[in-house]
Amino acid sequence: MPALLPSLVTTRIDPERCIGCERCIPVCPSDTLSMVDGKAVVTGATSLQCGHCAAVCPTDAIRVEALDEGMLRFRTFDLDPAWLPHGQGDLPGLVRLMASRRSCRNFTEQPVERDMLEDLIRIACTAPSGTNCQPWAFTVLPDRKAVMRLGDRLLVFFDKLNAMAANPWIRTAEKVFGKGQLDAYHRGYRQRVQEGIDAYRAGGRDRLFHGAPAVIVIAQSPGATTGFEDVMLASQNLLLGAHAMGLGTCLIGFAVEAMHRDASIQAVVGIPKSERVRAVVAIGHPAERFKTVAGRRAAPIRWG
Ligand SMILES: Cc1cc2nc3c(=O)[nH]c(=O)nc-3n(C[C@H](O)[C@H](O)[C@H](O)COP(=O)(O)O)c2cc1C
Ligand code: SF4
């Protein structure tokens, strides 16, 4: 089922500038515009607010007011806003960037500049989303203190979970009346998580956030039906942008899972109940270097 169409039409056309070339008509996915007496006019009742019309117009006659031009102004680098035609990207460079992004599990203590974090969010937002609904909300934990406020709450969660998983009676009951997830957790993760908790309590290594000095939590706002996909696409953009900026990242699935199981955790970092956390990204300056790019297993491919 597609996500709801944004219904608000914020497309404005300057009839003085319109030369009637009709280029904006076929690129519009929501049939918002038509040609009337040789000029483009808004005739549709809905708009994806995608801005394709404004991006194709040779005379800058169109403005989509819902779009924020500031989202393409970055603080740590200059962006050439000219559209890069198909086939003109640096493909080997792009693939090398993708394959060089690795999950970082050793961060330095160096803080991450706020400008970098803000730029990462703008980079994330260049992702596509179902019906352009952009259902993402970013919560920035900009320093180690903020990260550990969440970390401490997660510790309480995993302490409780480990105590339950260690109890064979509770595991059996959950197997009979639930989905057997507690037993699977016990077999797959409990020991490792316990070692992580013990190490953290002993003042040692932070195995949850890997010592990251910043975290960005990306949640899905209500109402989107492709929200999970949208947020994950935005997350991947953020990871790639971070690597290009010189930052390391790591998706922290343990934190996401905990937030799903205990909705009160997200309140600790100010995320309202109506949002569903999809990605927790640890961010920092990497204390590790690799020699080669990522290896992967052979992809299962089916030709139809
Ligand atoms: C959804 C998701 C959740 C993840 N959760 C964690 C996590 O909690 N802790 C961690 O250290 N790595 C986590 N990772 C990182 C994966 O282990 C990593 O992506 C995988 O081993 C491939 O390595 P690479 O990212 O370096 O290419 C997660 C990755 C994904 C995609
Ligand atoms: S693309 Fe611009 S100039 Fe061409 S018809 Fe549309 S509004 Fe007019």
Side-chain angles (χ1 to χ4, degrees):
M1 192 174 69
L4 292 175
L5 284 175
S7 56
L8 195 63
V9 180
T10 64
T11 315
R12 307 286 174 251
I13 304 177
D14 180 349
E16 301 293 318
R17 283 176 170 252
C18 177
I19 54 169
C21 71
E22 302 188 13
R23 287 184 205 173
C24 50
I25 308 298
V27 296
C28 176
S30 44
D31 296 328
T32 308
L33 310 180
S34 320
M35 297 304 293
V36 177
D37 297 333
K39 300 270 183 188
V41 288
V42 173
T43 51
T46 60
S47 166
L48 285 190
Q49 300 172 347
C50 64
H52 284 197
C53 54
V56 82
C57 178
T59 61
D60 293 330
I62 307 182
R63 213 159 57 84
V64 180
E65 287 180 348
L67 301 180
D68 180 351
E69 284 169 14
M71 286 299 286
L72 289 176
R73 277 195 293 273
F74 295 88
R75 289 157 189 240
T76 61
F77 63 97
D78 291 325
L79 176 78
D80 177 354
W83 181 66
L84 192 64
H86 299 104
Q88 287 192 19
D90 170 16
L91 183 60
L94 175 67
V95 178
R96 188 169 172 214
L97 173 70
M98 289 169 163
S100 297
R101 176 224 54 80
R102 306 306 317 260
S103 295
C104 180
R105 301 203 177 83
N106 296 284
F107 293 99
T108 70
E109 289 178 6
Q110 185 184 343
V112 182
E113 287 170 42
R114 282 190 181 227
D115 282 355
M116 285 177 138
L117 294 169
E118 286 194 24
D119 277 357
L120 284 177
I121 291 170
R122 290 190 177 87
I123 292 168
C125 292
T126 62
S129 59
T131 60
N132 198 28
C133 63
Q134 303 170 45
W136 35 63
F138 301 88
T139 301
V140 184
L141 310 182
D143 50 43
R144 192 67 191 148
K145 203 171 143 209
V147 172
M148 286 326 294
R149 203 178 317 126
L150 175 60
D152 287 344
R153 180 64 186 81
L154 289 168
L155 209 67
V156 173
F157 169 85
F158 281 110
D159 251 347
K160 272 193 200 153
L161 184 67
N162 271 13
M164 282 202 307
N167 184 325
W169 295 104
I170 299 180
R171 285 206 308 276
T172 307
E174 203 270 334
K175 235 176 174 174
V176 174
F177 299 108
K179 294 180 184 163
Q181 287 173 321
L182 198 60
D183 194 52
Y185 172 80
H186 176 67
R187 281 184 279 114
Y189 298 103
R190 201 192 71 81
Q191 182 61 31
R192 246 182 74 214
V193 170
Q194 193 58 51
E195 284 166 13
I197 293 173
D198 294 344
Y200 177 68
R201 289 239 163 84
R205 204 167 155 194
D206 160 20
R207 279 163 58 176
L208 182 61
F209 293 118
H210 311 296
V215 158
I216 296 182
V217 182
I218 316 180
Q220 171 190 336
S221 29
T225 49
T226 57
F228 175 71
E229 293 85 341
D230 302 337
V231 169
M232 293 321 289
L233 286 163
S235 303
Q236 172 71 349
N237 277 7
L238 190 153
L239 303 186
L240 294 176
H243 188 88
M245 266 184 198
L247 296 172
T249 55
C250 190
L251 286 162
I252 308 298
F254 276 109
V256 176
E257 185 65 23
M259 286 169 162
H260 287 181
R261 285 169 188 271
D262 181 347
S264 73
I265 299 175
Q266 64 187 60
V268 170
V269 289
I271 302 174
K273 266 193 196 145
S274 56
E275 292 179 9
R276 186 158 171 86
V277 170
R278 293 301 191 185
V280 173
V281 188
I283 303 171
H285 293 271
E288 51 191 28
R289 295 275 180 274
F290 296 103
K291 211 172 81 179
T292 60
V293 297
R296 287 291 188 256
R297 287 193 293 271
I301 304 177
R302 234 171 254 123
W303 297 89

